[in-house]
Amino acid sequence: MNKQKAVIGLEMHCEMTSNSKVFSNARNSYNEIANDNVVAIDMGFPGTLPTLNKECVRKAILMSRVLNCEIPEYFYFDRKNYYYPDLPKGYQITQMHNPIGINGKVIIDCGDYEKEVFIHDIHLEEDSASLDHYSDATLIDYNRSGVPLLELVTEPCLNSADEAVAFLEEMRRIYQYCDVSEADTKKGQIRCDVNVSIMDEESNVLGTKVEIKNVNSFANVKETINYEIKRQTELKKIGRYNEVEQETRRFDEETGTTIRMRGKVDAIDYKYFVEPNLPKYKITPEYIESIEKDIPMLPRERKLKYTKEYGLSMHDANIIIKNKDYADYFEECINVGINPKISSNWLMTNIVSYLRSNDINIKEFYLKPMYLKQIIDKIDDNTISSKQAKEIFNESIEKNVEPKSLISNNNQLSDKKVIEEIIINILNNNIKQIEEYKNGKTNLFDFFVGQVMKETRGRANPVITKEILKDKLDG
Ligand code: ADP
Ligand code: MG
């Protein structure tokens, strides 16, 4: 058998944030009470008509531009007809013929290399209700009915599970940076259909794709793809590739395998037609321009800036941009005048570990960058040691008190006379060590510093201490 390569295309559905739903004025927000965010339009009651939510259009166009898509002059919606209990209207309003963006591309970071991923299209549609399965019944919750969804369809251009996950992670970050979606997989806000095929490496004919529906976490996307590549490759190896057919499968979490659901349903089965209850919408270049102004600096651009301009390592920059709130905090540190590397060190060590162990969001974190600066300034002018800085950091968060006031109250010992007396005393008691020091055992210097700190319980100003010690020992 010739060497094989995997080909993957993704259909990524992402729930958008907005005040109201995409075609009705029901709230679009998480709600623990079932069927509470629902109006008649979401239920498809006769006599009701959809109204398009402008906020959703704006966000969809913004994403379309971020992905470098072409935007049509006019866009409209289509009806995708099918019956399912979570779809009370019997159809979904979606975009099939004239989506809000086509032919885009996005660059993703695959660890050792970057890759350009081609976007077939991005379109705006509505989510279905959700079904809650119990042992003796299934309940329908219509809160999700009509929640705005953006569906992103890639070309079949990804070649491994890792590339697919890198793409999804980059997209999740972009959605979050652009405030288009919370993109939280745990809340079911991202769901993927994963298309997998294999082909001869030398060939330019794509293999038969299998679609795995509704995979709900990135870990499962990875497992699904790896399982499917293995399954298809084995079939090919033993001469049974003809058994791979265009079909829809699902991922089974318990066994880590994929299971056949049905043969492939074609577009024609959905009897798409133009949604007659909504007009055609014109998108003017001025409107697109006004939206482009709102595109924030994206994670990849930020990473380049952090490494090139601020001199951070790729590793550190990657950690910071992973979370937009971290990146914002970091940039605020620089705005208030903290050195970038010092900002990044504090963020990634003291701050992140504090946030993690206390389960606090950095947005709610008491120690704002301007407060952090008060601590850093005092290290810089040698008022406090880095050990004291850490203590003040902790105390400040604990008491919600500005570091400044803690530092001025802090009884650091900076009186040269007092320190000198302590040093003379210590030297008198350590004649042997002085001799060893003078004979070349210079690392004993730290021993003397340590003695002073011990004597003063860490309060002695380290710079003054070292100055006097040097003078006494070397002078
Ligand atoms: P369909 O008409 O079955 O919906 P599309 O051509 O619209 O198929 O593609 C749907 C998804 O399947 C896209 O994400 C696309 O990249 C992917 N895809 C298409 N052909 C293949 C293939 N041979 N192998 C893997 N993925 C594929
Ligand atoms: Mg399709």
Side-chain angles (χ1 to χ4, degrees), residues 7-11 120 153-157 193 195-198 206-211 246 264-267:
V7 176
I8 298 141
L10 296 172
E11 294 161 86
H120 179 275
V153 183
T154 75
E155 296 292 349
C157 63
D193 299 340
N195 300 273
V196 185
S197 66
I198 54 164
L206 289 176
T208 305
K209 80 170 154 89
V210 165
E211 178 184 43
Q246 276 229 30
K264 173 72 188 160
V265 180
D266 273 319

Side-chain angles (χ1 to χ4, degrees), residues 17-82:
T17 47
S18 60
N19 286 319
S20 53
K21 291 184 178 177
V22 58
F23 299 120
S24 81
N25 62 354
R27 255 179 311 142
N28 171 24
S29 68
Y30 178 74
N31 193 337
E32 272 182 18
I33 307 166
N35 297 312
D36 201 40
N37 292 353
V38 186
V39 300
I41 295 170
D42 310 326
M43 303 287 298
F45 282 6
T48 61
L49 286 172
T51 315
L52 179 59
N53 181 339
K54 203 170 175 180
E55 187 188 3
C56 298
V57 173
R58 230 190 133 78
K59 289 187 172 179
I61 291 177
L62 187 134
M63 277 311 296
S64 183
R65 284 309 303 137
V66 164
L67 296 172
N68 305 293
C69 288
E70 295 160 29
I71 298 177
E73 193 183 349
Y74 291 93
F75 74 95
Y76 54 84
F77 291 88
D78 300 284
R79 251 185 214 193
K80 180 178 181 178
N81 298 281
Y82 65 96

Side-chain angles (χ1 to χ4, degrees), residues 180-424:
V180 165
S181 170
E182 284 177 61
D184 186 343
T185 40
K186 284 190 218 90
K187 291 188 190 157
Q189 290 168 336
I190 298 181
R191 300 179 309 263
C192 280
D193 299 340
V194 182
N195 300 273
V196 185
S197 66
I198 54 164
M199 65 190 279
D200 284 0
E201 200 152 68
E202 304 303 321
S203 162
N204 47 22
V205 184
L206 289 176
T208 305
K209 80 170 154 89
V210 165
E211 178 184 43
I212 304 98
K213 276 269 178 214
N214 253 322
V215 186
N216 58 11
S217 76
F218 295 175
N220 285 351
V221 167
K222 184 170 172 165
E223 239 188 294
T224 296
I225 293 173
N226 284 331
Y227 174 80
E228 205 39 50
I229 293 173
K230 198 166 138 233
R231 185 181 76 86
Q232 294 178 23
T233 310
E234 308 251 287
L235 282 173
K236 202 167 206 175
K237 212 186 273 171
I238 57 175
R240 284 168 47 190
Y241 184 65
N242 58 342
E243 287 176 28
V244 176
E245 62 169 309
Q246 276 229 30
E247 62 180 354
T248 300
R249 300 175 76 90
R250 67 178 177 83
F251 179 66
D252 182 58
E253 232 166 298
E254 257 164 49
T255 55
T257 62
T258 65
I259 296 168
R260 180 187 159 92
M261 290 167 73
R262 55 170 188 261
K264 173 72 188 160
V265 180
D266 273 319
I268 197 160
D269 298 309
Y270 290 116
K271 300 183 177 63
Y272 282 97
F273 59 84
V274 174
E275 167 59 46
N277 288 335
L278 288 165
K280 239 175 160 181
Y281 300 88
K282 186 175 167 77
I283 313 178
T284 63
E286 295 76 37
Y287 187 50
I288 296 176
E289 266 168 42
S290 79
I291 295 171
E292 280 173 339
K293 289 203 187 78
D294 292 341
I295 298 177
M297 194 185 256
L298 298 173
R300 183 167 173 276
E301 293 171 56
R302 290 211 203 186
K303 183 165 67 187
L304 293 177
K305 181 171 176 184
Y306 296 174
T307 51
K308 297 235 161 74
E309 205 172 299
Y310 299 150
L312 299 196
S313 69
M314 197 51 105
H315 171 263
D316 293 357
N318 266 325
I319 294 178
I320 294 175
I321 59 130
K322 231 180 211 156
N323 183 324
K324 173 168 188 283
D325 298 333
Y326 288 178
D328 287 344
Y329 187 95
F330 171 70
E331 289 184 21
E332 183 57 24
C333 285
I334 291 165
N335 287 342
V336 300
I338 310 175
N339 167 291
K341 278 198 180 154
I342 292 176
S343 305
S344 125
N345 284 343
W346 273 82
L347 176 60
M348 293 198 309
T349 53
N350 298 334
I351 296 176
V352 167
S353 68
Y354 177 82
L355 297 174
R356 287 221 180 108
S357 51
N358 293 281
D359 197 18
I360 294 175
N361 186 312
I362 196 162
K363 280 188 181 157
E364 272 103 56
F365 182 47
Y366 170 74
L367 202 87
K368 302 282 172 251
M370 58 186 246
Y371 292 158
L372 181 62
K373 177 145 195 309
Q374 296 175 357
I375 301 180
I376 311 262
D377 282 349
K378 291 298 170 189
I379 305 176
D380 285 349
D381 70 11
N382 294 315
T383 312
I384 56 174
S385 65
S386 49
K387 183 161 164 278
Q388 287 169 316
K390 181 76 197 298
E391 284 162 13
I392 288 161
F393 171 83
N394 288 331
E395 197 181 340
S396 165
I397 307 166
E398 214 169 280
K399 299 184 177 159
N400 282 10
V401 173
E402 275 191 54
K404 204 166 58 181
S405 56
L406 295 171
I407 294 167
S408 53
N409 295 338
N410 175 291
N411 51 354
Q412 195 188 45
L413 187 54
S414 300
D415 186 323
K416 284 193 179 171
K417 279 238 162 66
V418 178
I419 296 178
E420 188 171 2
E421 260 171 47
I422 293 168
I423 288 178
I424 291 173

